[in-house]
Amino acid sequence: MKVTVVGAGAVGASCAEYIAIKNFASEVVVLDIKEGYAEGKAMDLMQTASLNGFDTKIVGSTNDYSKTADSDIAVITSGIPRKPGMTREELIGINAGIVKTVSENLIKHSPNVILVVVSNPMDTMTYLVHKTTGLPRNRIIGMGGALDSARFKYRLAEALEAPISDVDGMVIGGHSDTGMVPLTAHATRNSVKVSEFLSEERLEQVAADTKVGGATLTKLLGTSAWYAPGAAVSGLVQAIACDQKKMFPCSTLLEGEYGLNDLCIGVPVILGKNGIEKIVEIKLSDAEKAKMQESAAGVSKTNGLLEL
Ligand SMILES: NC(=O)c1ccc[n+]([C@@H]2O[C@H](COP(=O)([O-])OP(=O)(O)OC[C@H]3O[C@@H](n4cnc5c(N)ncnc54)[C@H](O)[C@@H]3O)[C@@H](O)[C@H]2O)c1
């Protein structure tokens, strides 16, 4: 199993590290446009192999796509991250050009590759990859909901004063401060609805904190986060590589599901060796449906900024 990670920056390197530590890939190629940067990150990570006990070979490449040839899965993290006060949508101008070129180069060298898009604004970048590559929709996956759900579980556990392993929950919708739809009514602690333990006001606070999870970290760090994003990407890559049939909320091209068309947005999907093997349509309340519609309108508005 060969995995390429484009962008050896904060998220790309974190993602490569988690993939290596999980020890399911034979090779991870890390590629960056900055001279020597990916080679440096790869060498540093390889020097953790004997310490962390993995056999995955990590190779660095300065923009040489021949090294990525015949990748099974490729992750696109190349582009600029946001700075404090910025929205993800403000990154579109620079990142659209980068994501388009990178995806074309990847497919040229790995015609059967499954792409995982991370660069922001992620739902719009995922849509751009669909529009410009024409790959079938099962092979283009946007990562946002897996991260947002991890942040939701963190906030739920905090409110419940419970260990995170007790908690389950999911965030669907667009990967933006206003677009996320944390499914508070479906969240559970050991199969008991969290609404049994938390007031409506406290749950609303959990949802609000989840939605600004990325912005909160960007303010603290001066740039966007990388550990949880890297771990979330590695979870998706592992589910595909190991044909796990696991369910994650991912950004995918909708063709009528959830009453939506012609956009990529986060909904639950089953991930296996073919990428997105199924889009799961869960029953939403009228209020959740309205939030999803509003979120979709926001994503479509950002998509309208693309020069296609
Ligand atoms: N989807 C999510 O949940 C999520 C989470 C966190 C970050 N992000 C996004 O991921 C992206 C990367 O974030 P980061 O913190 O790693 O940024 P970073 O600046 O640390 O790393 C980005 C890397 O991309 C490289 N790059 C730029 N253009 C390139 C090109 N044409 N080819 C190859 N490499 C190129 C840069 O040299 C840099 O090393 C940002 O757009 C950020 O907003 C998304």
Side-chain angles (χ1 to χ4, degrees):
M1 178 60 55
K2 178 169 173 177
V3 181
T4 287
V5 179
V6 181
V11 176
S14 160
C15 155
E17 180 178 13
Y18 285 118
I19 291 171
I21 285 176
K22 292 178 181 181
N23 213 15
F24 60 83
S26 49
E27 183 176 356
V28 175
V29 177
V30 184
L31 182 146
D32 203 284
I33 203 162
K34 235 188 282 175
E35 187 69 41
Y37 193 56
E39 287 85 343
K41 289 280 180 113
M43 193 185 289
D44 192 9
L45 282 171
M46 276 306 283
Q47 290 170 3
T48 71
S50 62
L51 300 163
N52 284 333
F54 63 79
D55 294 318
T56 302
K57 185 179 163 200
I58 308 171
V59 175
S61 164
T62 302
N63 223 26
D64 175 3
Y65 280 84
S66 66
K67 290 201 177 146
T68 72
D70 298 322
S71 291
D72 300 284
I73 305 167
V75 180
I76 303 176
T77 75
S78 44
I80 52 164
R82 57 182 171 158
K83 296 275 169 241
M86 279 175 94
T87 66
R88 294 174 178 91
E89 289 70 23
E90 287 174 72
L91 307 173
I92 191 169
I94 295 178
N95 286 356
I98 294 173
V99 169
K100 182 174 180 291
T101 313
V102 165
S103 54
E104 285 166 357
N105 282 329
L106 285 168
I107 293 165
K108 212 181 289 169
H109 292 83
S110 305
N112 299 316
V113 72
I114 292 174
L115 297 174
V116 179
V117 182
V118 181
S119 311
N120 274 317
M122 182 278 298
D123 298 292
T124 294
M125 292 302 109
T126 309
Y127 182 72
L128 172 74
V129 174
H130 272 289
K131 286 287 176 194
T132 53
T133 66
L135 286 190
R137 68 172 176 165
N138 61 301
R139 285 171 51 200
I140 303 174
I141 302 155
M143 194 296 289
L147 169 65
D148 302 332
S149 300
R151 288 178 171 158
F152 184 37
K153 287 179 237 185
Y154 165 78
R155 289 298 184 189
L156 280 169
E158 181 184 57
L160 289 161
E161 295 181 32
I164 290 183
S165 57
D166 250 18
V167 173
D168 203 5
M170 188 163 60
V171 177
I172 61 172
H175 178 62
S176 69
D177 297 359
T178 51
M180 287 177 213
V181 183
L183 295 176
T184 47
H186 299 252
T188 58
R189 176 179 187 176
N190 277 349
S191 79
V192 180
K193 291 202 167 172
V194 293
S195 52
E196 300 253 348
F197 309 107
L198 299 173
S199 67
E200 206 169 305
E201 294 72 43
R202 188 67 184 93
L203 271 173
E204 273 170 24
Q205 189 58 50
V206 165
D209 290 344
T210 301
K211 288 166 80 168
V212 295
T216 305
L217 282 162
T218 302
K219 200 168 159 204
L220 290 168
L221 297 166
T223 185
S224 63
W226 55 89
Y227 293 120
V233 175
S234 76
L236 305 194
V237 171
Q238 185 175 23
I240 301 164
C242 304
D243 195 23
Q244 288 177 326
K245 318 287 187 201
K246 276 184 91 155
M247 186 168 86
F248 291 94
C250 292
S251 190
T252 182
L253 186 73
L254 295 183
E255 294 169 338
E257 297 88 354
Y258 290 90
L260 299 170
N261 265 299
D262 194 34
L263 84 166
C264 294
I265 194 166
V267 295
V269 302
I270 305 297
L271 291 185
K273 64 178 186 308
N274 302 309
I276 293 178
E277 302 204 337
K278 188 175 185 247
I279 294 174
V280 182
E281 286 202 76
I282 55 170
K283 207 165 167 214
L284 299 178
S285 67
D286 288 345
E288 288 162 344
K289 277 185 205 160
K291 283 184 189 158
M292 201 58 184
Q293 288 291 340
E294 201 182 313
S295 179
V299 172
S300 294
K301 193 169 163 210
T302 309
N303 290 349
L305 302 173
L306 288 172
E307 288 167 16
L308 291 169

